[in-house]
Amino acid sequence: MKKIPKNAWYLIISMVVLISLVALMGKGSTLGKTPAEVPFSSVLDEVKQDKVDSLEVTGDQIIVNLKDGTKQKSYKESFKSLSDFGIDYNKVKVEAKNPDDGAGRWFDIALAILPIIFIVGFFYIIMRQAQGSNNQAMSFGKSKARVFGMEKNKIKFKDVAGAQEAKVELQEIVEFLKYPSKFEALGAKIPKGVLLFGSPGTGKTLLARAVAGEADVPFFSISGSEFVEMFVGVGASRVRDLFARAKKNSPCIIFIDEVDAVGRQRGAGLGGGHDEREQTLNQILVEMDGFEQGTNVIVIAATNRPDVLDPALLRPGRFDRRVTLDLPDMKAREEILEVHSVKKPLDNSVDFKEVARKTPGVSGADLANIANEAAIFAARSNRKKITQSDFHEAVEKIALGPERKSHILSDKEKKITAFHEAGHALLGHMLPNCHPVHKVSIVSRGMAGGVTWSLPLEDKHLHSLADFKDDIAMSLGGRSAEKLIFGEENITTGAESDLKHANGLARRMVTEYGMSKALKNRFFGEEQGSVFLGRSIAQDKHYSEEMASKIDEEVEKIINEATKKAEDTLAKNKSKLNLIAETLLQKETIEGKDFEKLMEAAFKQSKK
């Protein structure tokens, strides 16, 4: 039943309704009680007895309406009239009807024609469906790329905040598309491909559309996964069709998003030479290397993983340019927030510089989400303008998770959480290489029972050994505070994420950064083994088990050293720890400025 087309259902319902209406018209005169059939001689007797009110004559049929309200039906010879039988028309009302004027004839015609119409209509719909399926089958190997560039409000470089170096690189591509003869006159070849790579959300797709908008050329957009199908050869056919369409519309841009879906390294042996993904990649390589001079078609591809791409795809002549998109710095984050807030009503209190300082390491997509969340917070509070507090709430929701106000801790758990977060906060304030404490709270957010939020004063790209040691010590401050106040037997599971961060950082210090005492300047990262779909099916360690044991020992030393530093610092400043915990139990949340004032008051008290 589900396979019957919607149009067929409409036709069936229409036919049923139409037949029903015609049937009602034809049967309308017979609705109600059927008259009793009597001999014609009885009708003549009733006329003589003055019992008849009127007679309805239709051919040889007579409907007798008696004065008592009943009806009778009878028949007479069709070639004689009622006057021939002695009926006086002056005494009895006689109404003659033409038998051809009734709806019965139309009903008979409808019953004869409607089935024919129904059958013809049904086969017409079936043929239409079959034709559509045939067209779909014929277009199976056609490209599914969407074409942009005809819209009025095109994206330009001014709509893309930050990424200044990337825009400079891509500005040359715009000039190639606009003025190709300028470069060809000097013997310069137009770049065939540009590879954009960077973290998710850094604006790779947005920049590609900005290039098309600046150059004012068509923009063919397709995802790498749209080439690959279950049938071998379909992906390659779609690649050929895409490039053929692009050449007809040159100058233009082909944008392949997530190119690693088809561009991963070949040679794994999976599926041999008939692997659909490899066939598609081979066709892309041939098409990119086979551009005629002067076609003015440029391929822009985006990926988050350039390390898994096939070397043949990355060589000059295919992707001549590689543009890296980094996470935005503080100034770029401020510009991105301004771009995403252009159409939003802002209060005079909004300071994007402060918001940018609170969002280190976030992408442009995250900042767009923050601006949207701020607008939602303002609407939820029934305000007509977005305030600075809305942006603060949005940042905290994105960075820390939403507040779980319904998650109520018991008094004992609340006290443990307060001392746990106080341990983090005190070490963050005391240790010289930790970032300043921005906020301390025992209100549950996300999966955490509480949070200590530290923010750098400026963007930092290089980290020292001292930075890492203090960072690990601060991470272990919560567990150390629990041990100091409640005893080692009463430590809780609240330090799970802290331990994961501390041990992971310590291992990277030993294996990747060469920051251990016994294994200085050594790199123990893992090398890839056999290539399997562009990734390592098994990662081979290029060091012995004895060296792995030494690495474990060095990681243990770093963790133990950081633990001792945390415990000693907290023990020496136990009164400050108690003060922070008591304040958290009273207020639940301490903002950065209030925390600094609290620490200043505590230091003055300790000097006295």
Side-chain angles (χ1 to χ4, degrees):
M1 295 293 287
K2 293 182 178 179
K3 294 183 179 179
I4 297 179
K6 186 184 294 184
N7 293 335
W9 279 114
Y10 290 152
L11 181 61
I12 293 171
I13 294 172
S14 301
M15 291 294 182
V16 171
V17 172
L18 185 58
I19 292 173
S20 301
L21 290 175
V22 173
L24 287 174
M25 291 174 59
K27 301 289 184 178
S29 60
T30 62
L31 291 177
K33 187 177 180 180
T34 305
E37 188 172 335
V38 297
F40 183 62
S41 59
S42 299
V43 175
L44 294 176
D45 293 338
E46 289 172 342
V47 171
K48 292 178 181 179
Q49 297 173 10
D50 197 23
K51 294 182 179 181
V52 177
D53 181 52
S54 64
L55 298 173
E56 297 177 9
V57 183
T58 305
D60 58 352
Q61 178 181 287
I62 302 173
I63 299 298
V64 182
N65 298 311
L66 300 177
K67 290 183 178 180
D68 59 2
T70 59
K71 287 188 176 184
Q72 295 175 345
K73 182 170 66 172
S74 184
Y75 296 90
K76 67 176 183 63
E77 292 90 341
S78 57
F79 55 85
K80 288 186 177 182
S81 65
L82 293 179
S83 60
D84 296 335
F85 296 100
I87 296 176
D88 189 357
Y89 288 177
N90 295 323
K91 293 182 178 180
V92 179
K93 182 181 179 181
V94 178
E95 183 180 354
K97 292 185 178 181
N98 188 346
D100 295 335
D101 290 341
R105 184 183 64 174
W106 295 107
F107 179 67
D108 294 337
I109 295 173
L111 288 179
I113 296 177
L114 285 179
I116 299 174
I117 297 175
F118 173 74
I119 294 172
V120 172
F122 180 76
F123 278 102
Y124 172 75
I125 292 174
I126 295 299
M127 294 299 292
R128 285 286 302 272
Q129 294 294 324
Q131 185 179 5
S133 300
N134 186 43
N135 291 338
Q136 186 176 4
M138 294 299 292
S139 63
F140 194 63
K142 299 295 183 181
S143 169
K144 295 183 178 181
R146 295 163 297 279
V147 183
F148 300 94
M150 303 303 177
E151 59 273 12
K152 293 182 179 179
N153 299 323
K154 297 180 181 179
I155 296 177
K156 301 293 185 70
F157 281 146
K158 63 181 178 61
D159 300 316
V160 183
Q164 297 300 327
E165 295 81 4
K167 286 194 283 189
V168 171
E169 286 284 334
L170 295 173
Q171 184 63 44
E172 294 184 4
I173 304 300
V174 174
E175 292 192 16
F176 274 124
L177 291 169
K178 276 188 172 182
Y179 316 109
S181 59
K182 170 184 175 181
F183 298 91
E184 291 175 358
L186 298 173
K189 294 183 179 179
I190 297 176
K192 296 177 180 178
V194 179
L195 181 64
L196 305 176
F197 58 88
S199 302
T202 49
K204 299 182 288 294
T205 305
L206 190 64
L207 264 177
R209 295 195 66 176
V211 172
E214 290 285 347
D216 196 20
V217 296
F219 179 83
F220 291 83
S221 176
I222 190 170
S223 172
S225 60
E226 293 183 60
F227 290 116
V228 182
E229 293 282 353
M230 63 181 295
F231 301 109
V232 175
V234 173
S237 175
R238 289 179 176 175
V239 171
R240 288 191 293 270
D241 182 66
L242 172 61
F243 280 80
R245 288 174 59 192
K247 291 175 184 178
K248 291 179 181 178
N249 291 274
S250 65
C252 68
I253 290 174
I254 296 176
F255 177 64
I256 305 176
D257 200 5
E258 305 297 342
V259 69
D260 52 282
V262 292
R264 288 173 178 258
Q265 296 180 19
R266 297 168 296 173
L270 182 68
H274 299 286
D275 179 21
E276 167 66 359
R277 182 190 55 80
E278 290 195 8
Q279 295 284 355
T280 306
L281 174 58
N282 291 338
Q283 189 63 46
I284 292 176
L285 297 176
V286 172
E287 292 290 344
M288 289 192 69
D289 201 28
F291 276 153
E292 298 87 355
Q293 185 69 25
T295 55
N296 298 342
V297 177
I298 294 179
V299 180
I300 300 179
T303 180
N304 304 327
R305 294 296 311 276
D307 54 308
V308 302
L309 295 179
D310 193 274
L313 193 64
L314 299 176
R315 73 162 176 82
R318 292 196 173 109
F319 283 108
D320 304 278
R321 301 287 180 90
R322 302 182 190 180
V323 179
T324 304
L325 294 174
D326 296 321
L327 293 171
D329 56 17
M330 186 180 295
K331 183 180 179 182
R333 292 196 297 272
E334 186 178 350
E335 294 174 356
I336 293 172
L337 286 168
E338 291 176 355
V339 168
H340 290 296
S341 301
V342 169
K343 297 182 180 180
K344 294 180 173 62
L346 302 177
D347 188 73
N348 295 330
S349 62
V350 174
D351 183 8
F352 288 128
K353 187 174 183 179
E354 183 180 352
V355 180
R357 192 184 72 81
K358 295 178 66 175
T359 52
V362 303
S363 65
D366 293 326
L367 294 170
N369 192 22
I370 287 172
N372 184 60
E373 287 290 339
I376 292 174
F377 278 120
R380 192 179 300 169
S381 302
N382 296 320
R383 289 194 299 272
K384 295 184 178 180
K385 290 188 177 182
I386 306 172
T387 63
Q388 185 76 353
S389 62
D390 294 324
F391 276 98
H392 288 327
E393 286 288 335
V395 171
E396 291 180 9
K397 180 180 179 180
I398 300 300
L400 309 176
E403 287 189 0
R404 297 170 59 197
K405 296 181 180 179
S406 60
H407 184 63
I408 302 175
L409 300 175
S410 64
D411 292 339
K412 182 179 178 181
E413 289 180 335
K414 195 172 183 180
K415 186 176 181 181
I416 293 173
T417 304
F419 276 99
H420 183 102
E421 299 304 331
H424 287 309
L426 182 58
L427 287 175
H429 181 79
M430 299 294 297
L431 299 179
N433 297 294
C434 288
H435 299 314
V437 176
H438 178 72
K439 187 173 188 176
V440 190
S441 176
I442 58 173
V443 177
S444 298
R445 281 185 176 271
M447 299 300 294
V451 63
T452 301
W453 191 13
S454 298
L455 289 175
L457 295 175
E458 59 184 4
D459 289 336
K460 200 170 186 179
H461 303 288
L462 297 176
H463 301 275
S464 65
L465 176 61
D467 292 337
F468 287 142
K469 286 184 175 181
D470 285 357
D471 189 359
I472 295 174
M474 181 183 175
S475 298
L476 299 173
R479 169 64 62 85
S480 301
E482 290 182 26
K483 179 182 176 182
L484 177 64
I485 301 300
F486 304 103
E488 190 167 0
E489 296 296 325
N490 295 315
I491 58 176
T492 66
T493 59
E496 178 186 358
S497 59
D498 300 330
L499 297 175
K500 183 178 180 180
H501 170 74
N503 283 271
L505 181 55
R507 184 163 293 276
R508 290 198 302 274
M509 288 172 63
V510 176
T511 59
E512 298 178 19
Y513 306 142
M515 291 182 174
S516 67
K517 293 181 180 178
L519 302 173
K520 292 181 179 179
N521 302 326
R522 300 288 299 275
F523 179 79
F524 299 99
E526 294 175 332
E527 293 183 348
Q528 288 187 352
S530 303
V531 175
F532 180 77
L533 291 181
R535 291 295 302 272
S536 171
I537 189 172
Q539 293 179 330
D540 302 327
K541 294 180 179 178
H542 57 284
Y543 50 86
S544 64
E545 292 299 325
E546 290 79 8
M547 186 59 70
S549 178
K550 288 184 180 180
I551 291 173
D552 292 338
E553 291 176 2
E554 288 300 303
V555 171
E556 184 180 4
K557 288 179 182 179
I558 293 174
I559 295 296
N560 291 338
E561 181 183 342
T563 303
K564 188 176 185 306
K565 178 188 287 188
E567 291 177 350
D568 291 346
T569 304
L570 293 176
K572 292 178 182 179
N573 298 274
K574 190 174 181 180
S575 60
K576 300 182 183 64
L577 180 68
N578 290 327
L579 178 61
I580 298 171
E582 290 172 2
T583 306
L584 283 173
L585 289 172
Q586 293 174 2
K587 299 182 177 180
E588 291 190 338
T589 300
I590 307 175
E591 297 292 341
K593 295 180 180 179
D594 297 330
F595 181 77
E596 290 295 332
K597 294 178 181 178
L598 187 67
M599 289 294 96
E600 289 178 6
F603 276 108
K604 290 180 181 178
Q605 186 67 28
S606 62
K607 289 181 180 180
K608 293 181 181 179

